[in-house]
Amino acid sequence: MGLKLFNTLSRSIQDFAPLDPAGKRVGMYCCGPTVYDFAHIGNWRSFVFADLVRRYLEFCGYDVKHVMNITDVEDKIIRRVRETKTTLRDFTSQYETAFLDDLKALGCHAPHVTPRATEHIPEIIAIIEKLVARGIAYQAADGSVYFSIEKYRGCGCTYGRLVKLNFDEMRTGERVASDEYEKESLADFALWKARVPEDGEVFWPSPWGEGRPGWHIECSAMSMKVLGESFDLHLGGEDLMFPHHEDEIAQSEGATGKPFVKHWLHGAFLLVEGKKMSKSLGNFFTLRDLLAKGYRAREVRYLLISASYRETFNFTLKGLDAAKSALGRIEECLQKLIEIAEPMLKSTTGMDVSPATLILRQFTDALDEDLNISRAWAVVFDWIRDLNRALAQGRLSPQEAIVAISTWKKLDEVLGLGFRPKAPARLVDDTAYVRGIGLAGTGMPSVQGEENVPDEIIELLQMRMDARKVKDFKRSDEIRDQLKSKGWVIEDSPKGPKLKKL
Ligand SMILES: [Zn+2]
């Protein structure tokens, strides 16, 4: 088998093979956030999708270098800096921090490199200089430097690799200065924008005078700086195909004369409650809006990765409710598995706890097929159903329960739902992971609540569980009082201990 992915360049499903001759290292670039506001749920679909791709590649044994840029200078940002009368860095840093916090809350691995555009001005200028030297870029009367589509095509290069374009409509010499434009406005686009009064203090010196980079060139500079002139994977939402990605290809290949990216992956559009998201329709959600409604970040993640990345997805609050119960089913099953496995957990050393190979193979077969996540979820839920049946009939041995827990742990390397609390490092071994699931399954009310349980409290909870196991109830009660003095109350229920904030 092996992984197959749809490549927007060829418009077909292709075998995934990295450029690395050893077939091991993979360079992956994902267009990052434009930090002028909180990211909305449509943006999050792209970022969670990128995380899934990375996790699956790592699961398959690839050594992935994941780069996600921070667009911290472009048209919208400059407008907002002007409106809010602040400095560029002060303005963007608040949204950058919020973005990275939300990314973590959604269970996404932090990218290995998160370059900022403003810290790559020399690299940007160097690419533009190459394009000017090759005659593909020129400085216009307005002082800005533009990319000449006519000259680029004249060199035998193709503009319009990802989308079909109508060049008959294009008039030579027409230029577009703004970062975003429609296919119908096809024209030479800005690489370097000459300083205008509206830019305020946002400008840098360059061989063409003071100014700032266009949005598209930023991604070319940052991706090639970290991953080299040719790399394996470039991801983004389908709304970025034109002009952003088309321009990235033209600038990069125009400057280096080498193929820029081998596989282009585009995540499809997201509708909310059946409509295009808009503030006036009341269907515009950031992650924070959804958490404020009482949903957990884990449920949002699950819903975002429940459908194929190439299908337009309708995100609804009803869908989030369904996500909650689907995840509840997994949690409940894991909780029961822990109860059965508990007596053997102390002595797992030397015991066979390798995951169930059949389930893993079915899961892998599904994801190998252009990340067929719906089929992968069907494998997971069929397996959970079978486990529940065996549990109900009382025919699951502690050994089988441990294998099942270990299987889930392996699947979750890709799914990233992490049914585990933030435990102190020394507790994060296999046994603690299993206990951890028990803790997370004890009904802490929200992911925010979960995120906020301090390590100290988890440690006390762990000590109390240990004390109860050896029936040291005096110690257990002491710890309960200690927890209470720190503002946390423990309730013992038939399903296990419940932790609540006072
Ligand atoms: Zn980009």
Side-chain angles (χ1 to χ4, degrees):
M1 273 291 283
L3 176 59
K4 291 182 190 333
L5 293 170
F6 183 86
N7 187 349
T8 317
L9 268 185
S10 64
R11 284 128 177 119
S12 65
I13 291 180
Q14 292 180 334
D15 286 330
F16 175 74
L19 295 164
D20 174 21
K24 182 91 179 147
R25 279 179 295 115
V26 173
M28 165 175 147
Y29 185 87
C30 170
C31 286
T34 299
V35 283
Y36 75 106
D37 207 338
F38 295 109
H40 58 64
I41 204 67
N43 303 133
W44 286 120
R45 185 181 191 196
S46 296
F47 297 118
V48 173
F49 161 58
D51 181 66
L52 183 75
V53 172
R54 169 190 166 169
R55 281 170 177 269
Y56 190 59
L57 289 167
E58 287 175 344
F59 181 88
C60 295
Y62 292 111
D63 179 4
V64 182
K65 186 161 204 177
H66 176 191
V67 185
M68 186 198 68
N69 72 296
I70 305 284
T71 299
D72 60 351
V73 56
E74 58 81 78
D75 295 350
K76 290 192 289 292
I77 293 177
I78 291 188
R79 199 177 321 132
R80 297 288 298 274
V81 167
R82 196 169 62 236
E83 286 163 7
T84 53
K85 296 187 173 50
T86 170
T87 65
L88 184 71
R89 187 75 196 119
D90 281 350
F91 178 77
T92 56
S93 64
Q94 55 185 328
Y95 292 113
E96 182 184 316
T97 308
F99 175 84
L100 295 173
D101 286 348
D102 291 356
L103 189 73
K104 197 169 161 196
L106 282 166
C108 297
H109 284 321
H112 301 104
V113 193
T114 45
R116 292 191 191 105
T118 52
E119 290 164 4
H120 290 80
I121 304 295
E123 288 83 355
I124 290 169
I125 290 176
I127 298 178
I128 303 175
E129 279 182 317
K130 270 191 202 163
L131 290 168
V132 171
R134 296 188 72 183
I136 301 173
Y138 61 94
Q139 186 168 27
D142 62 0
S144 296
V145 181
Y146 290 88
F147 184 93
S148 165
I149 292 175
E150 197 195 3
K151 289 278 166 51
Y152 180 66
R153 295 180 76 207
C155 297
C157 298
T158 307
Y159 184 80
R161 302 275 295 279
L162 304 170
V163 290
K164 281 204 163 41
L165 297 168
N166 185 356
F167 290 97
D168 299 337
E169 300 277 297
M170 187 184 168
R171 282 190 291 271
T172 313
E174 278 203 15
R175 288 185 282 270
V176 54
S178 66
D179 287 330
E180 290 176 71
Y181 52 94
E182 300 297 320
K183 273 193 288 191
E184 294 67 37
S185 319
L186 178 65
D188 290 357
F189 57 91
L191 299 167
W192 186 261
K193 304 184 185 198
R195 185 181 175 193
V196 289
E198 297 81 64
D199 288 346
E201 293 309 303
V202 183
F203 65 89
W204 288 265
S206 86
W208 315 281
E210 288 170 343
R212 61 181 173 98
W215 169 38
H216 317 300
I217 193 80
E218 296 175 5
C219 277
S220 287
M222 290 182 276
S223 60
M224 292 198 289
K225 159 113 188 266
V226 186
L227 298 172
E229 291 176 341
S230 299
F231 58 92
D232 300 296
L233 275 171
H234 196 313
L235 278 76
E238 66 178 348
D239 53 321
L240 295 183
M241 258 189 240
F242 186 89
H244 188 55
H245 290 162
E246 205 64 70
D247 290 352
E248 270 190 54
I249 297 176
Q251 296 156 163
S252 308
E253 299 195 355
T256 68
K258 293 178 190 159
F260 177 46
V261 170
K262 196 171 173 192
H263 294 260
W264 282 89
L265 257 63
H266 289 98
F269 203 68
L270 181 111
L271 298 171
V272 179
E273 304 291 349
K275 295 194 177 73
K276 193 178 168 189
M277 225 184 327
S278 101
K279 285 190 175 156
S280 59
L281 286 176
N283 67 347
F284 185 99
F285 298 126
T286 65
L287 176 65
R288 285 147 200 253
D289 295 334
L290 296 169
L291 296 181
K293 285 182 186 295
Y295 293 105
R296 301 194 298 179
R298 177 187 293 162
E299 290 149 10
V300 177
R301 178 182 175 96
Y302 169 80
L303 190 55
L304 289 175
I305 58 167
S306 61
S308 159
Y309 74 97
R310 286 208 288 136
E311 281 166 21
T312 300
F313 183 65
N314 185 20
F315 187 97
T316 62
L317 295 183
K318 231 175 161 177
L320 269 180
D321 293 330
K324 190 188 281 250
S325 59
L327 292 181
R329 240 181 305 158
I330 299 177
E331 258 173 315
E332 206 178 306
C333 179
L334 289 168
Q335 180 62 41
K336 286 183 197 148
L337 292 171
I338 290 157
E339 283 162 21
I340 291 184
E342 194 80 48
M344 283 183 81
L345 287 178
K346 282 282 179 203
S347 55
T348 48
T349 341
M351 199 165 80
D352 178 21
V353 286
S354 32
T357 42
L358 179 67
I359 303 301
L360 288 183
R361 196 181 325 125
Q362 290 172 344
F363 183 75
T364 310
D365 283 351
L367 291 176
D368 272 351
E369 190 191 284
D370 194 25
L371 303 166
N372 189 336
I373 191 82
S374 328
R375 217 177 98 198
W377 275 117
V379 171
V380 173
F381 282 110
D382 283 353
W383 172 64
I384 295 281
R385 189 202 52 215
D386 291 347
L387 282 171
N388 277 334
R389 194 173 296 155
L391 283 162
Q393 293 167 352
R395 56 178 172 82
L396 208 76
S397 69
Q399 162 82 33
E400 286 167 325
I402 287 175
V403 168
I405 291 164
S406 157
T407 307
W408 168 260
K409 187 178 167 185
K410 194 75 194 152
L411 299 174
D412 198 45
E413 283 177 20
V414 179
L415 302 171
L417 295 163
F419 289 114
R420 62 199 292 188
K422 282 199 179 337
R426 68 172 184 81
L427 289 178
V428 184
D429 55 24
D430 273 1
T431 315
Y433 178 83
V434 170
R435 287 192 191 138
I437 297 171
L439 183 66
T442 54
M444 277 182 278
S446 70
V447 88
Q448 279 168 309
E450 245 174 68
E451 290 286 333
N452 292 338
V453 181
D455 287 351
E456 186 199 10
I457 301 299
I458 289 170
E459 201 155 359
L460 280 169
L461 194 62
Q462 185 74 56
M463 281 158 69
R464 184 172 173 273
M465 282 163 82
D466 290 344
R468 284 175 67 85
K469 209 171 292 160
V470 294
K471 301 203 186 310
D472 185 354
F473 295 113
K474 188 167 167 274
R475 175 88 185 112
S476 147
D477 287 345
E478 277 168 20
I479 299 170
R480 176 202 289 253
D481 294 341
Q482 236 176 310
L483 279 164
K484 204 169 177 183
S485 71
K486 292 179 191 296
W488 295 82
V489 62
I490 284 214
E491 284 169 12
D492 290 306
S493 76
K495 278 189 168 184
K498 272 193 172 179
L499 184 68
K500 276 189 185 162
K501 192 129 176 64
L502 272 177

